[in-house]
Amino acid sequence: MATTPVTNALTIDFEDWYQGLEIPYSEWGRFESRIEAAGERLLQILADSDTHATFFMLGYVAEKHPALVKKVEAAGHEIGTHGFSHTLIYTQSPELFQSELTRAIGYLEDLTGKKVLGHRAPFFSITKDSLWALDILGELGVRYDSSIFPVLNYRYGIAGAPRFPYTIKREKCEFIEFPISTLKLPGFTMPISGGAYFRIYPYQVTKQAIRSVNRGGQPVTFYLHPWEIDPDHPRIDVPRRIALTHYFNLGATERRLKKLLRDFKLAPMKDVLGIN
């Protein structure tokens, strides 16, 4: 008997090429913006495959490009929040994090007329040092979060955190966490969610890893950035640890994304979680 394929969450961390390079937000004005062209190209690829996604919008981008946000929403995609300034949360005070997130959510809701349900932290930076952010998410009405990576990395991760969607219960709120996806191997937890991992691994490795998780009845969250389908964006001098992953194999992203859209059933995160 044929089984119904698992629907996986397709998510876009919607930010410009220089915004994930750990460059302070105060310096962003000196860089060339390429988000319009990359965003338009991404929307066309998704339209060609009749696939919808959750776009976790960076507040700074939304305020600079409101027409693009409206175009994304009009195409049937979900709009979530990616914060405002793409700053590691654990380097912020709770007051600054709340202020920035309030600004980002409020602007998106005013622009689209729809409630923002989901949040993803810049650099997946809800860690053991920033669990206080969960209370602020609940206070601001977030229904689900997708920020906790159950691995350890120099920038992010909570080793041993649950690997599949679960309910986070805080003193005054609760919501669903859809963790960044991994595959459990003997002695090793392998990140399989997308981004740099999608460009580093051969496509067949990603494909088989997602299928392995799906065979267990669990969905995967896959993420991508618009700049990853823009291999000609500028090369600048950044620390080697950042450059190695940011610029690696960008020319393969679009081709691999089209394969992924053919090989898997994908939908916005709110639909996968059954939240509306």
Side-chain angles (χ1 to χ4, degrees):
M1 177 183 291
T3 58
T4 303
V6 172
T7 301
N8 298 293
L10 177 60
T11 64
I12 309 298
D13 290 357
F14 203 72
E15 63 200 51
D16 219 329
W17 65 271
Y18 53 88
Q19 292 167 338
L21 294 175
E22 298 185 38
I23 296 167
Y25 148 67
S26 59
E27 298 180 22
W28 286 356
R30 61 189 178 93
F31 296 103
E32 173 195 3
S33 176
R34 297 173 67 94
I35 192 70
E36 293 269 3
E40 294 276 2
R41 180 64 189 143
L42 184 56
L43 285 174
Q44 187 60 57
I45 292 168
L46 295 178
D48 289 345
S49 68
D50 194 25
T51 304
H52 294 101
T54 295
F55 281 65
F56 289 111
M57 289 280 180
L58 195 66
Y60 179 95
V61 169
E63 291 188 7
K64 295 289 186 181
H65 304 277
L68 188 54
V69 178
K70 288 186 175 182
K71 186 166 187 174
V72 170
E73 197 273 332
H77 302 289
E78 179 191 9
I79 303 294
T81 180
H82 198 34
F84 182 81
S85 65
H86 213 279
T87 303
L88 292 155
I89 291 175
Y90 50 76
T91 67
Q92 295 184 303
S93 68
E95 293 76 20
L96 179 57
F97 173 70
Q98 182 166 18
S99 173
E100 286 199 352
L101 192 58
T102 299
R103 175 179 177 178
I105 290 175
Y107 186 78
L108 290 172
E109 291 184 343
D110 288 346
L111 198 61
T112 65
K114 294 183 177 179
K115 180 170 176 52
V116 169
L117 302 175
H119 167 266
R120 174 169 288 153
F123 303 115
F124 314 114
S125 55
I126 294 182
T127 68
K128 288 182 177 179
D129 293 326
S130 53
L131 291 176
W132 49 260
L134 299 174
D135 298 307
I136 294 171
L137 295 181
E139 183 179 332
L140 295 181
V142 165
R143 299 282 304 283
Y144 71 84
D145 176 64
S146 182
S147 304
I148 296 177
F149 215 139
V151 298
L152 274 185
N153 178 284
Y154 75 93
R155 276 196 297 214
Y156 54 70
I158 300 179
R163 295 176 48 239
F164 305 118
Y166 61 100
T167 299
I168 285 181
K169 295 185 178 181
R170 305 292 287 180
E171 184 178 351
K172 296 181 179 179
C173 66
E174 66 176 58
F175 51 86
I176 297 174
E177 178 67 31
F178 197 141
I180 312 306
S181 295
T182 57
L183 179 66
K184 192 72 172 176
L185 300 172
F188 176 63
T189 301
M190 174 183 169
I192 61 169
S193 291
Y197 304 108
F198 189 52
R199 292 179 278 113
I200 293 168
Y201 305 150
Y203 177 74
Q204 287 299 320
V205 171
T206 298
K207 180 178 177 179
Q208 293 307 318
I210 295 174
R211 283 186 169 172
S212 179
V213 173
N214 287 170
R215 280 195 295 270
Q218 295 288 350
V220 161
T221 176
F222 182 86
Y223 72 90
L224 202 74
H225 307 87
W227 52 262
E228 291 182 277
I229 60 166
D230 176 21
D232 297 323
H233 73 257
R235 265 62 172 169
I236 62 173
D237 186 21
V238 292
R240 182 173 172 80
R241 62 180 169 79
I242 297 174
L244 281 174
T245 54
H246 182 92
Y247 292 116
F248 183 81
N249 209 18
L250 290 169
T253 310
E254 181 170 331
R255 181 178 70 254
R256 292 182 179 188
L257 175 60
K258 290 176 178 177
K259 288 182 182 178
L260 189 89
L261 296 172
R262 289 194 299 268
D263 289 341
F264 293 95
K265 186 177 180 182
L266 296 151
M269 188 167 278
K270 69 177 180 65
D271 295 345
V272 174
L273 294 174
I275 294 174
N276 51 45

